[in-house]
């Protein structure tokens, strides 16, 4: 595990991929379905759990987590190109 660093609301954009994965896996919610206000509220909850190290250890290995779930963090919208 890489060196643990606490996060806060200032990390909202920097950790968006990790947050999106957490939303899908733990909250059964897609980021794009949330209003900005609701997303910020859920990010606060995510920060608290992250900082207490209550998440699966993979969440602290950002590159590995993103690699594992890259296809899941794509938009859920299905494009219909012809």
């Amino acid at each position: 595990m890489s060196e643990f660093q606490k996060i806060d609301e200032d990390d909202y954009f920097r950790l968006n991929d990790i947050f999106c994965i957490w939303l899908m896996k733990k909250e059964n919610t897609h980021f794009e379905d949330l209003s900005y206000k609701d997303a910020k509220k859920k990010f606060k909850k995510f920060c608290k759990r992250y900082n207490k190290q209550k998440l699966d250890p993979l969440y602290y290995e950002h590159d590995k987590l993103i690699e594992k779930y890259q296809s899941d963090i794509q938009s859920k919208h299905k494009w219909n190109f012809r």
Side-chain angles (χ1 to χ4, degrees):
M1 186 151 112
S2 58
E3 186 177 322
F4 173 74
Q5 294 180 345
K6 287 193 172 194
I7 62 171
D8 61 29
E9 292 178 57
D10 292 338
D11 295 305
Y12 180 76
F13 294 104
R14 184 177 68 83
L15 296 177
N16 187 263
D17 286 346
I18 285 105
F19 175 52
C20 287
I21 293 166
W22 177 80
L23 280 173
M24 286 187 302
K25 301 297 177 189
K26 301 300 179 188
E27 298 282 309
N28 200 29
T29 301
H30 284 270
F31 178 78
E32 59 200 46
D33 292 338
L34 298 173
S35 68
Y36 180 75
K37 185 178 178 180
D38 288 341
K40 291 293 271 190
K41 190 185 300 185
K42 287 196 179 279
F43 188 73
K44 249 188 207 184
K45 179 180 176 181
F46 171 75
C47 287
K48 286 179 185 177
R49 294 192 54 76
Y50 185 98
N51 290 339
K52 290 180 180 178
Q53 298 185 6
K54 298 278 187 181
L55 303 177
D56 184 290
L58 190 56
Y59 282 91
Y60 303 95
E61 298 285 344
H62 298 176
D63 292 339
K64 289 179 184 178
L65 180 74
I66 291 169
E67 184 179 321
K68 181 174 181 175
Y69 293 109
Q70 185 64 46
S71 63
D72 292 344
I73 58 176
Q74 307 287 325
S75 170
K76 70 176 186 172
H77 184 76
K78 302 289 185 227
W79 296 99
N80 190 16
F81 291 116
R82 294 176 191 226

XYZ file of all heavy atoms in Angstrom:
737
model
N 0.847 -1.174 0.000
C 0.000 0.000 0.000
C 0.889 1.233 0.000
O 1.868 1.292 0.711
C -0.904 -0.035 1.231
C -1.924 1.069 1.264
S -3.400 0.538 2.153
C -3.335 1.543 3.581
N 0.532 2.211 -0.826
C 1.312 3.442 -0.857
C 1.085 4.232 0.427
O 0.175 3.941 1.188
C 0.937 4.276 -2.080
O -0.427 4.567 -2.081
N 1.902 5.235 0.627
C 1.799 6.027 1.853
C 0.433 6.712 1.914
O 0.002 7.367 0.971
C 2.909 7.074 1.882
C 2.961 7.840 3.180
C 4.120 8.817 3.222
O 5.200 8.469 2.716
O 3.920 9.909 3.755
N -0.241 6.543 3.024
C -1.585 7.088 3.203
C -1.536 8.600 3.407
O -0.738 9.102 4.185
C -2.261 6.425 4.409
C -3.583 7.044 4.763
C -4.693 6.805 3.973
C -3.708 7.882 5.846
C -5.919 7.381 4.280
C -4.919 8.462 6.167
C -6.028 8.207 5.382
N -2.391 9.307 2.676
C -2.552 10.750 2.851
C -4.030 11.048 2.970
O -4.830 10.567 2.160
C -1.977 11.514 1.664
C -0.491 11.391 1.533
C 0.029 12.169 0.333
O -0.712 12.564 -0.547
N 1.319 12.413 0.323
N -4.379 11.822 3.972
C -5.775 12.198 4.141
C -6.223 13.068 2.973
O -5.427 13.757 2.343
C -5.980 12.936 5.459
C -5.892 12.012 6.657
C -6.393 12.681 7.903
C -6.459 11.644 9.017
N -7.222 12.101 10.146
N -7.524 13.017 2.719
C -8.118 13.806 1.646
C -9.191 14.713 2.225
O -9.655 14.515 3.354
C -8.702 12.903 0.544
C -9.833 12.022 1.096
C -7.603 12.061 -0.100
C -10.599 11.251 0.036
N -9.583 15.706 1.439
C -10.676 16.591 1.852
C -11.432 17.058 0.613
O -11.178 16.578 -0.492
C -10.162 17.762 2.694
C -9.176 18.649 1.967
O -9.258 18.762 0.715
O -8.323 19.253 2.627
N -12.346 17.997 0.801
C -13.199 18.449 -0.293
C -12.410 19.059 -1.447
O -12.895 19.081 -2.575
C -14.233 19.439 0.236
C -15.243 18.772 1.160
C -16.239 19.755 1.717
O -16.917 20.425 0.908
O -16.317 19.857 2.956
N -11.212 19.526 -1.193
C -10.373 20.087 -2.257
C -9.919 19.018 -3.248
O -9.458 19.346 -4.343
C -9.146 20.790 -1.675
C -9.498 22.051 -0.899
O -10.594 22.618 -1.143
O -8.684 22.465 -0.059
N -10.050 17.762 -2.888
C -9.641 16.655 -3.751
C -10.775 16.138 -4.637
O -10.611 15.136 -5.337
C -9.102 15.499 -2.889
C -7.842 15.891 -2.163
O -6.889 16.317 -2.829
O -7.813 15.779 -0.921
N -11.885 16.833 -4.618
C -13.087 16.403 -5.344
C -12.794 16.094 -6.811
O -13.197 15.049 -7.323
C -14.163 17.479 -5.221
C -15.450 17.174 -5.924
C -16.361 16.263 -5.391
C -15.783 17.806 -7.117
C -17.558 15.991 -6.033
C -16.981 17.541 -7.759
C -17.858 16.638 -7.211
O -19.045 16.362 -7.841
N -12.104 16.966 -7.506
C -11.841 16.754 -8.932
C -10.664 15.805 -9.147
O -10.695 14.964 -10.047
C -11.599 18.083 -9.646
C -12.829 18.950 -9.657
C -12.937 20.032 -8.798
C -13.894 18.652 -10.494
C -14.086 20.819 -8.792
C -15.051 19.432 -10.491
C -15.142 20.514 -9.638
N -9.661 15.896 -8.322
C -8.474 15.062 -8.462
C -8.806 13.576 -8.269
O -8.254 12.704 -8.943
C -7.413 15.493 -7.441
C -6.102 14.736 -7.565
C -5.069 15.251 -6.584
N -5.388 14.966 -5.199
C -5.127 13.812 -4.590
N -4.545 12.822 -5.247
N -5.431 13.638 -3.321
N -9.731 13.275 -7.369
C -10.071 11.879 -7.058
C -11.417 11.451 -7.645
O -12.037 10.509 -7.167
C -10.076 11.670 -5.544
C -8.731 11.857 -4.860
C -8.867 11.690 -3.360
C -7.700 10.896 -5.411
N -11.836 12.136 -8.689
C -13.149 11.855 -9.249
C -13.307 10.405 -9.697
O -14.357 9.793 -9.448
C -13.457 12.810 -10.400
C -14.870 12.640 -10.887
O -15.104 11.937 -11.858
N -15.807 13.254 -10.191
N -12.308 9.829 -10.337
C -12.413 8.433 -10.788
C -12.592 7.478 -9.610
O -13.429 6.573 -9.654
C -11.189 8.014 -11.597
C -11.165 8.616 -12.988
O -12.202 9.144 -13.437
O -10.108 8.544 -13.627
N -11.815 7.689 -8.563
C -11.901 6.818 -7.384
C -13.268 6.987 -6.711
O -13.907 6.018 -6.309
C -10.748 7.120 -6.400
C -9.446 6.530 -6.939
C -10.980 6.505 -5.039
C -8.494 7.425 -7.493
N -13.717 8.224 -6.623
C -15.027 8.521 -6.058
C -16.135 7.861 -6.882
O -17.062 7.257 -6.316
C -15.215 10.039 -5.989
C -16.564 10.495 -5.526
C -17.123 10.021 -4.352
C -17.286 11.415 -6.270
C -18.374 10.454 -3.919
C -18.526 11.870 -5.843
C -19.076 11.381 -4.675
N -16.046 7.923 -8.206
C -17.057 7.302 -9.074
C -17.120 5.794 -8.868
O -18.205 5.215 -8.839
C -16.762 7.610 -10.543
S -17.114 9.303 -11.001
N -15.965 5.183 -8.717
C -15.926 3.733 -8.465
C -16.599 3.423 -7.138
O -17.423 2.513 -7.032
C -14.474 3.217 -8.494
C -13.911 3.334 -9.911
C -14.399 1.767 -7.988
C -12.405 3.169 -9.998
N -16.269 4.179 -6.114
C -16.877 3.982 -4.796
C -18.396 4.151 -4.878
O -19.141 3.350 -4.304
C -16.264 4.966 -3.797
C -16.861 4.886 -2.434
C -16.579 3.973 -1.463
C -17.853 5.762 -1.879
N -17.329 4.232 -0.341
C -18.116 5.323 -0.568
C -18.529 6.874 -2.358
C -19.032 5.965 0.260
C -19.442 7.513 -1.536
C -19.685 7.051 -0.244
N -18.848 5.182 -5.586
C -20.291 5.400 -5.726
C -20.977 4.178 -6.331
O -22.021 3.741 -5.855
C -20.575 6.613 -6.620
C -20.460 7.976 -6.001
C -20.596 9.044 -7.088
C -21.513 8.195 -4.923
N -20.383 3.642 -7.391
C -20.993 2.488 -8.061
C -20.950 1.243 -7.194
O -21.938 0.520 -7.089
C -20.287 2.216 -9.388
C -20.633 3.216 -10.452
S -19.955 2.770 -12.068
C -18.211 2.683 -11.704
N -19.809 0.991 -6.585
C -19.625 -0.254 -5.845
C -20.273 -0.245 -4.472
O -20.776 -1.262 -4.011
C -18.128 -0.578 -5.696
C -17.398 -0.717 -7.003
C -17.966 -1.877 -7.801
C -17.285 -1.993 -9.145
N -17.925 -2.945 -10.027
N -20.257 0.881 -3.796
C -20.744 0.933 -2.409
C -22.091 1.626 -2.248
O -22.828 1.334 -1.318
C -19.711 1.622 -1.506
C -18.361 0.936 -1.502
C -18.468 -0.493 -1.015
C -17.115 -1.179 -1.045
N -17.211 -2.594 -0.753
N -22.390 2.566 -3.132
C -23.644 3.318 -3.006
C -24.648 2.942 -4.100
O -25.754 3.467 -4.114
C -23.350 4.824 -3.075
C -22.459 5.343 -1.958
C -23.207 5.526 -0.660
O -24.262 6.176 -0.656
O -22.720 5.016 0.366
N -24.211 2.081 -5.033
C -25.062 1.669 -6.151
C -25.643 2.878 -6.895
O -26.826 2.923 -7.213
C -26.171 0.735 -5.665
C -26.754 -0.080 -6.792
O -26.082 -0.373 -7.767
N -28.021 -0.445 -6.655
N -24.788 3.868 -7.130
C -25.187 5.132 -7.745
C -24.172 5.515 -8.811
O -22.978 5.298 -8.637
C -25.211 6.254 -6.676
O -26.119 5.893 -5.645
C -25.627 7.575 -7.254
N -24.656 6.089 -9.893
C -23.760 6.625 -10.913
C -23.558 8.110 -10.681
O -24.518 8.843 -10.424
C -24.330 6.410 -12.317
C -24.200 5.003 -12.787
N -23.099 4.561 -13.477
C -25.011 3.941 -12.645
C -23.248 3.286 -13.752
N -24.393 2.874 -13.248
N -22.324 8.551 -10.788
C -21.973 9.944 -10.575
C -22.852 10.871 -11.417
O -23.345 11.881 -10.933
C -20.488 10.157 -10.913
C -20.036 11.566 -10.782
C -19.773 12.106 -9.538
C -19.858 12.361 -11.905
C -19.351 13.420 -9.402
C -19.438 13.666 -11.783
C -19.178 14.197 -10.534
N -23.068 10.519 -12.664
C -23.824 11.387 -13.573
C -25.307 11.504 -13.196
O -25.998 12.379 -13.702
C -23.668 10.912 -15.019
C -24.138 9.497 -15.231
C -23.552 8.884 -16.487
O -22.344 9.010 -16.708
O -24.329 8.265 -17.227
N -25.786 10.655 -12.302
C -27.180 10.728 -11.851
C -27.362 11.690 -10.678
O -28.495 11.959 -10.275
C -27.690 9.347 -11.433
C -27.827 8.405 -12.615
O -27.948 8.881 -13.760
O -27.809 7.173 -12.385
N -26.266 12.183 -10.129
C -26.334 13.059 -8.953
C -26.280 14.531 -9.347
O -25.570 14.895 -10.290
C -25.147 12.780 -8.017
C -25.056 11.388 -7.413
C -23.745 11.247 -6.653
C -26.234 11.119 -6.500
N -26.982 15.345 -8.596
C -26.813 16.793 -8.754
C -25.446 17.156 -8.171
O -24.849 16.374 -7.419
C -27.914 17.540 -7.992
O -27.740 17.373 -6.586
N -24.964 18.320 -8.504
C -23.672 18.766 -7.974
C -23.702 18.771 -6.446
O -22.775 18.284 -5.794
C -23.333 20.155 -8.514
C -22.015 20.690 -8.020
C -20.815 20.203 -8.529
C -21.966 21.676 -7.046
C -19.597 20.680 -8.078
C -20.757 22.167 -6.590
C -19.575 21.665 -7.116
O -18.369 22.142 -6.656
N -24.798 19.270 -5.889
C -24.947 19.342 -4.429
C -24.912 17.946 -3.797
O -24.223 17.721 -2.798
C -26.251 20.057 -4.091
C -26.479 20.313 -2.630
C -27.774 21.073 -2.415
C -28.040 21.306 -0.956
N -29.287 22.052 -0.725
N -25.645 17.000 -4.382
C -25.666 15.631 -3.853
C -24.307 14.954 -4.010
O -23.867 14.215 -3.121
C -26.745 14.797 -4.535
C -28.149 15.185 -4.109
O -28.303 15.824 -3.038
O -29.103 14.860 -4.841
N -23.641 15.214 -5.123
C -22.321 14.630 -5.342
C -21.332 15.147 -4.297
O -20.537 14.374 -3.751
C -21.828 14.943 -6.750
N -21.387 16.431 -4.013
C -20.483 17.006 -3.006
C -20.782 16.418 -1.625
O -19.864 16.137 -0.851
C -20.606 18.537 -2.976
C -20.068 19.220 -4.205
C -18.581 19.089 -4.358
C -17.869 20.193 -3.658
N -16.443 20.281 -3.944
N -22.048 16.222 -1.313
C -22.432 15.633 -0.031
C -21.906 14.203 0.086
O -21.350 13.811 1.113
C -23.967 15.643 0.107
C -24.455 15.272 1.482
C -25.973 15.164 1.561
C -26.664 16.444 1.203
N -28.137 16.360 1.393
N -22.048 13.440 -0.987
C -21.553 12.057 -0.967
C -20.028 12.026 -0.944
O -19.436 11.133 -0.343
C -22.113 11.269 -2.153
C -23.590 10.943 -1.970
C -24.029 9.858 -2.908
C -25.481 9.520 -2.700
N -25.712 8.633 -1.577
N -19.383 13.008 -1.574
C -17.928 13.056 -1.539
C -17.443 13.310 -0.110
O -16.431 12.745 0.305
C -17.368 14.115 -2.498
C -15.871 14.043 -2.618
C -15.273 13.016 -3.324
C -15.062 14.986 -2.008
C -13.885 12.922 -3.420
C -13.682 14.908 -2.095
C -13.088 13.875 -2.809
N -18.161 14.121 0.637
C -17.817 14.345 2.052
C -17.853 13.028 2.817
O -16.962 12.730 3.609
C -18.820 15.320 2.688
C -18.283 16.644 3.032
C -19.319 17.416 3.834
C -19.112 18.871 3.628
N -19.995 19.701 4.425
N -18.898 12.235 2.577
C -19.037 10.919 3.212
C -17.871 10.023 2.793
O -17.273 9.331 3.623
C -20.369 10.292 2.807
C -20.621 8.928 3.377
C -21.985 8.393 2.921
C -22.226 6.993 3.409
N -23.524 6.469 2.939
N -17.547 10.043 1.498
C -16.427 9.264 0.990
C -15.130 9.672 1.687
O -14.347 8.815 2.111
C -16.326 9.469 -0.531
C -15.083 8.898 -1.146
C -14.936 7.531 -1.325
C -14.062 9.730 -1.554
C -13.786 7.008 -1.899
C -12.913 9.222 -2.134
C -12.776 7.856 -2.302
N -14.899 10.970 1.837
C -13.684 11.475 2.500
C -13.585 10.959 3.934
O -12.506 10.534 4.369
C -13.655 13.005 2.509
S -13.315 13.754 0.918
N -14.682 10.999 4.646
C -14.675 10.533 6.037
C -14.287 9.059 6.121
O -13.444 8.675 6.933
C -16.043 10.755 6.687
C -16.323 12.191 7.023
C -17.708 12.345 7.637
C -18.022 13.803 7.858
N -19.374 14.002 8.379
N -14.900 8.250 5.277
C -14.592 6.813 5.290
C -13.153 6.564 4.826
O -12.457 5.735 5.397
C -15.587 6.039 4.427
C -17.007 6.097 5.023
C -17.966 5.132 4.389
N -17.532 3.753 4.380
C -17.530 2.916 5.423
N -17.932 3.349 6.602
N -17.130 1.677 5.299
N -12.739 7.291 3.811
C -11.374 7.161 3.290
C -10.367 7.515 4.380
O -9.421 6.774 4.627
C -11.218 8.090 2.085
C -9.902 7.974 1.369
C -9.779 7.203 0.224
C -8.769 8.664 1.807
C -8.580 7.102 -0.457
C -7.564 8.571 1.143
C -7.471 7.785 0.010
O -6.271 7.686 -0.650
N -10.577 8.634 5.041
C -9.628 9.112 6.051
C -9.577 8.236 7.295
O -8.558 8.177 7.970
C -9.927 10.558 6.429
C -9.605 11.518 5.300
O -8.822 11.212 4.404
N -10.224 12.679 5.319
N -10.667 7.546 7.573
C -10.672 6.601 8.697
C -10.150 5.237 8.267
O -10.146 4.300 9.056
C -12.092 6.461 9.253
C -12.572 7.702 9.969
C -13.987 7.502 10.487
C -14.467 8.746 11.201
N -15.858 8.604 11.669
N -9.751 5.143 7.001
C -9.242 3.909 6.395
C -10.246 2.766 6.534
O -9.888 1.625 6.859
C -7.867 3.561 6.960
C -6.857 4.639 6.642
C -5.450 4.306 7.079
O -5.148 3.210 7.535
N -4.573 5.281 6.948
N -11.501 3.099 6.276
C -12.591 2.119 6.379
C -12.913 1.465 5.036
O -13.798 0.623 4.958
C -13.863 2.812 6.896
C -13.740 3.406 8.263
C -13.933 2.368 9.302
C -13.981 3.008 10.682
N -14.150 2.039 11.720
N -12.213 1.869 3.974
C -12.487 1.335 2.650
C -11.605 0.125 2.372
O -10.581 -0.078 3.024
C -12.229 2.409 1.590
C -13.009 3.710 1.738
C -12.595 4.699 0.665
C -14.502 3.464 1.692
N -12.000 -0.641 1.394
C -11.190 -1.756 0.923
C -9.784 -1.220 0.613
O -9.643 -0.128 0.063
C -11.849 -2.308 -0.345
C -11.145 -3.527 -0.863
O -9.999 -3.380 -1.359
O -11.729 -4.613 -0.800
N -8.742 -1.956 0.954
C -7.366 -1.478 0.734
C -7.073 -1.042 -0.702
O -6.248 -0.162 -0.930
C -6.503 -2.676 1.130
C -7.341 -3.445 2.089
C -8.757 -3.255 1.639
N -7.771 -1.613 -1.661
C -7.548 -1.245 -3.053
C -7.855 0.239 -3.312
O -7.259 0.855 -4.194
C -8.388 -2.139 -3.966
C -8.108 -2.066 -5.461
C -6.637 -2.359 -5.767
C -9.006 -3.030 -6.203
N -8.747 0.834 -2.543
C -9.084 2.255 -2.723
C -7.907 3.180 -2.416
O -7.904 4.332 -2.831
C -10.291 2.656 -1.863
C -11.587 2.195 -2.461
C -12.131 0.966 -2.132
C -12.266 2.976 -3.395
C -13.316 0.519 -2.695
C -13.455 2.553 -3.967
C -13.965 1.318 -3.612
O -15.133 0.890 -4.190
N -6.922 2.673 -1.737
C -5.741 3.480 -1.395
C -4.608 3.256 -2.404
O -3.562 3.875 -2.306
C -5.294 3.169 0.036
C -6.428 3.418 1.002
C -7.268 2.384 1.405
C -6.706 4.710 1.457
C -8.348 2.615 2.251
C -7.780 4.950 2.304
C -8.595 3.905 2.690
O -9.664 4.144 3.513
N -4.846 2.367 -3.341
C -3.922 2.101 -4.448
C -4.585 2.637 -5.713
O -5.107 1.883 -6.532
C -3.651 0.592 -4.561
C -2.997 -0.016 -3.364
C -1.517 0.340 -3.266
O -0.924 0.791 -4.259
O -0.961 0.160 -2.167
N -4.595 3.923 -5.865
C -5.391 4.594 -6.889
C -5.180 4.029 -8.291
O -6.156 3.744 -8.997
C -5.115 6.087 -6.884
C -5.478 6.741 -5.594
N -5.232 8.064 -5.356
C -6.059 6.269 -4.467
C -5.640 8.388 -4.140
N -6.143 7.301 -3.582
N -3.940 3.866 -8.707
C -3.670 3.369 -10.067
C -4.223 1.966 -10.273
O -4.820 1.674 -11.315
C -2.173 3.389 -10.369
C -1.619 4.804 -10.468
O -2.410 5.746 -10.702
O -0.403 4.970 -10.302
N -4.041 1.104 -9.292
C -4.541 -0.270 -9.396
C -6.068 -0.300 -9.428
O -6.673 -1.068 -10.173
C -4.036 -1.127 -8.242
C -2.564 -1.432 -8.326
C -2.128 -2.267 -7.138
C -0.628 -2.506 -7.163
N -0.182 -3.271 -5.992
N -6.682 0.538 -8.604
C -8.144 0.598 -8.554
C -8.699 1.047 -9.901
O -9.628 0.430 -10.435
C -8.597 1.559 -7.450
C -10.102 1.711 -7.284
C -10.692 0.472 -6.618
C -10.424 2.947 -6.463
N -8.134 2.102 -10.452
C -8.612 2.621 -11.737
C -8.397 1.598 -12.845
O -9.275 1.385 -13.684
C -7.941 3.971 -12.057
C -8.457 5.033 -11.077
C -8.213 4.384 -13.500
C -7.701 6.335 -11.110
N -7.261 0.942 -12.833
C -6.990 -0.085 -13.839
C -8.027 -1.203 -13.762
O -8.547 -1.662 -14.780
C -5.590 -0.652 -13.636
C -5.184 -1.662 -14.678
C -3.769 -2.172 -14.444
O -2.894 -1.384 -14.058
O -3.575 -3.381 -14.644
N -8.344 -1.629 -12.562
C -9.296 -2.728 -12.371
C -10.711 -2.355 -12.826
O -11.423 -3.176 -13.384
C -9.315 -3.149 -10.900
C -10.257 -4.306 -10.626
C -10.149 -4.797 -9.211
C -11.096 -5.981 -9.000
N -10.959 -6.565 -7.680
N -11.116 -1.113 -12.574
C -12.501 -0.714 -12.844
C -12.638 0.317 -13.964
O -13.673 0.965 -14.073
C -13.137 -0.156 -11.565
C -13.306 -1.196 -10.495
C -12.519 -1.177 -9.356
C -14.246 -2.219 -10.632
C -12.661 -2.141 -8.361
C -14.399 -3.183 -9.650
C -13.598 -3.135 -8.522
O -13.742 -4.087 -7.543
N -11.630 0.453 -14.805
C -11.650 1.475 -15.857
C -12.916 1.416 -16.699
O -13.539 2.433 -16.957
C -10.420 1.343 -16.756
C -10.319 2.441 -17.801
C -10.134 3.812 -17.197
O -9.335 3.994 -16.304
N -10.879 4.783 -17.672
N -13.314 0.243 -17.103
C -14.508 0.139 -17.952
C -15.780 0.512 -17.191
O -16.748 0.975 -17.792
C -14.639 -1.259 -18.538
O -14.807 -2.212 -17.517
N -15.777 0.350 -15.889
C -16.960 0.681 -15.086
C -17.149 2.183 -14.911
O -18.262 2.631 -14.653
C -16.867 0.061 -13.691
C -16.967 -1.454 -13.726
O -17.397 -1.997 -14.762
O -16.613 -2.080 -12.723
N -16.074 2.955 -15.019
C -16.214 4.395 -14.787
C -16.489 5.166 -16.065
O -16.592 6.381 -16.043
C -14.999 4.991 -14.035
C -13.704 4.762 -14.788
C -14.935 4.456 -12.630
C -12.498 5.411 -14.129
N -16.670 4.446 -17.156
C -17.093 5.081 -18.398
C -18.548 5.512 -18.215
O -19.270 4.997 -17.377
C -16.996 4.095 -19.567
C -15.648 3.431 -19.709
C -14.584 4.367 -20.241
O -14.864 5.214 -21.045
N -13.376 4.199 -19.762
N -18.986 6.409 -19.027
C -20.380 6.855 -18.976
C -21.312 5.666 -19.157
O -21.032 4.757 -19.933
C -20.637 7.875 -20.089
O -21.999 8.150 -20.196
N -22.422 5.668 -18.450
C -23.385 4.574 -18.605
C -24.247 4.774 -19.848
O -24.990 3.891 -20.238
C -24.260 4.438 -17.366
C -25.243 5.559 -17.164
C -26.122 5.286 -15.960
C -27.191 6.361 -15.864
N -28.173 6.075 -14.877
N -24.130 5.950 -20.478
C -24.918 6.233 -21.685
C -24.479 5.335 -22.829
O -23.294 5.141 -23.061
C -24.774 7.697 -22.095
C -25.615 8.068 -23.259
N -26.960 8.255 -23.142
C -25.296 8.244 -24.563
C -27.447 8.559 -24.340
N -26.454 8.551 -25.211
N -25.405 4.756 -23.523
C -25.119 3.908 -24.682
C -25.361 4.736 -25.943
O -26.477 5.142 -26.235
C -26.043 2.678 -24.703
C -25.954 1.823 -23.457
C -24.634 1.079 -23.407
C -24.617 0.138 -22.233
N -23.467 0.160 -21.436
N -24.281 5.015 -26.660
C -24.376 5.795 -27.886
C -24.907 4.905 -29.005
O -24.587 3.733 -29.083
C -23.013 6.372 -28.255
C -22.534 7.341 -27.229
C -21.655 7.090 -26.228
C -22.942 8.701 -27.081
N -21.477 8.222 -25.462
C -22.242 9.227 -25.956
C -23.805 9.545 -27.773
C -22.397 10.531 -25.528
C -23.956 10.851 -27.336
C -23.270 11.318 -26.247
N -25.665 5.495 -29.895
C -26.262 4.743 -30.998
C -25.741 5.323 -32.315
O -26.479 5.966 -33.051
C -27.790 4.811 -30.910
C -28.448 3.866 -31.869
O -27.822 2.967 -32.398
N -29.733 4.069 -32.102
N -24.463 5.069 -32.618
C -23.883 5.554 -33.872
C -24.185 4.566 -34.982
O -24.217 3.370 -34.784
C -22.353 5.697 -33.731
C -21.942 6.799 -32.811
C -21.253 6.506 -31.649
C -22.249 8.120 -33.086
C -20.855 7.511 -30.780
C -21.863 9.122 -32.239
C -21.169 8.823 -31.091
N -24.371 5.102 -36.168
C -24.608 4.236 -37.334
C -23.620 4.565 -38.396
O -23.156 5.568 -38.612
C -26.020 4.452 -37.864
C -27.016 3.991 -36.843
C -28.414 4.280 -37.320
N -29.282 4.064 -36.183
C -30.381 3.411 -36.233
N -30.797 2.917 -37.359
N -31.117 3.236 -35.180
